[in-house]
Amino acid sequence: MGEISLQESIYAFDLDGTITRKETLPVLATALGVDAEIALLTRLTMEGKLDFQQSFKLRYCVLRNLPIGKIHDIMEEIPLDSAIEEFIKENRDACAIVTGNLDSWIEPIVRKLGCRCFSSCEIHRPEAFVPDICFVDKGEAIRELRIDAKRVVAVGEGANDIPMLAEADIAIGYGGIHKPADEVISLADYVAQDGEELCRMLNHL
């Protein structure tokens, strides 16, 4: 039996604030008129002052009141970084989204990009008023991607990206929308400040 041929590299991208030009949850919050509350939770989470899972559950309990059709309409209009979008579309088989966001919410973005996606999901239980959330394990996502490649390059900016950056062969901190968390900068092999710089870097690694 011949050896399995591995891809040279797989590129794993965080979604919110990396692929997208806006954080998606605050945009959803605007539709509900709860901008300030969601913005505060998002900022504290990005800074690592609030645990991502705890923060997301709080935001989810508010935002789940939006009909899923409305959420999809909003997600369709979320602007993407044009350079990163082009890179992913040109390298779909070698790219993946790794996000703590919900699969049911981000489906329009994933469909538009056409690459693999590792995300959180809802678990509906008959006895529960609010669904549970099964959170993506970003480190495990990188380990799964490595099965198909010689190396995995991970790109992220927030504290919740640390597990995937730590597990990746090459870690890139991204500052296109937010300043990367201090822990991300300490961990990163490289730091890129915008999508064009990031994609030039990816093409030359």
Side-chain angles (χ1 to χ4, degrees):
M1 183 179 295
E3 293 185 2
I4 297 174
S5 178
L6 298 179
Q7 291 177 255
E8 186 65 32
S9 300
I10 287 181
Y11 307 93
F13 298 87
D14 175 46
L15 179 65
D16 286 79
T18 300
I19 295 174
T20 65
R21 295 287 301 164
K22 294 181 178 180
E23 292 284 337
T24 59
L25 300 192
V27 176
L28 295 178
T30 298
L32 273 178
V34 290
D35 311 52
E37 296 90 336
I38 299 299
L40 175 61
L41 289 170
T42 300
R43 180 175 61 80
L44 293 175
T45 305
M46 288 296 305
E47 294 173 354
K49 297 176 181 176
L50 187 62
D51 174 73
F52 174 80
Q53 294 189 11
Q54 178 187 8
S55 168
F56 192 91
K57 286 178 180 178
L58 291 171
R59 291 178 288 174
Y60 168 77
C61 285
V62 175
L63 298 175
R64 67 184 293 269
N65 293 311
L66 275 174
I68 190 64
K70 178 66 173 177
I71 290 175
H72 284 178
D73 288 344
I74 293 170
M75 289 293 183
E76 288 278 6
E77 300 301 319
I78 294 286
L80 308 183
D81 183 282
S82 58
I84 298 175
E85 179 181 7
E86 181 179 0
F87 181 90
I88 292 174
K89 287 181 175 179
E90 289 179 352
N91 301 277
R92 284 188 172 100
D93 291 342
C95 291
I97 300 165
V98 183
T99 176
N101 214 322
L102 287 179
D103 57 355
S104 59
W105 289 5
I106 63 172
E107 189 273 334
I109 296 175
V110 176
R111 185 177 65 248
K112 183 184 299 184
L113 294 173
C115 64
R116 280 184 283 182
C117 182
F118 298 81
S119 56
S120 302
C121 63
E122 296 169 297
I123 300 176
H124 295 270
R125 304 185 192 281
E127 71 279 7
F129 178 71
V130 177
D132 290 335
I133 298 175
C134 178
F135 286 99
V136 68
D137 182 330
K138 290 195 171 190
E140 179 58 32
I142 299 303
R143 289 189 287 275
E144 184 172 334
L145 289 170
R146 189 177 286 113
I147 294 171
D148 299 323
K150 295 179 181 178
R151 66 177 185 179
V152 179
V153 180
V155 183
E157 90 290 356
N160 69 309
D161 295 319
I162 290 172
M164 78 168 181
L165 294 171
E167 187 65 34
D169 300 287
I170 298 176
I172 301 177
Y174 183 66
I177 306 301
H178 311 284
K179 178 182 179 294
D182 291 341
E183 298 93 331
V184 168
I185 293 174
S186 297
L187 188 61
D189 298 296
Y190 305 94
V191 175
Q193 299 300 334
D194 59 57
E196 291 187 357
E197 179 186 5
L198 171 65
C199 293
R200 285 195 301 270
M201 188 180 295
L202 296 178
N203 283 319
H204 286 90
L205 285 175

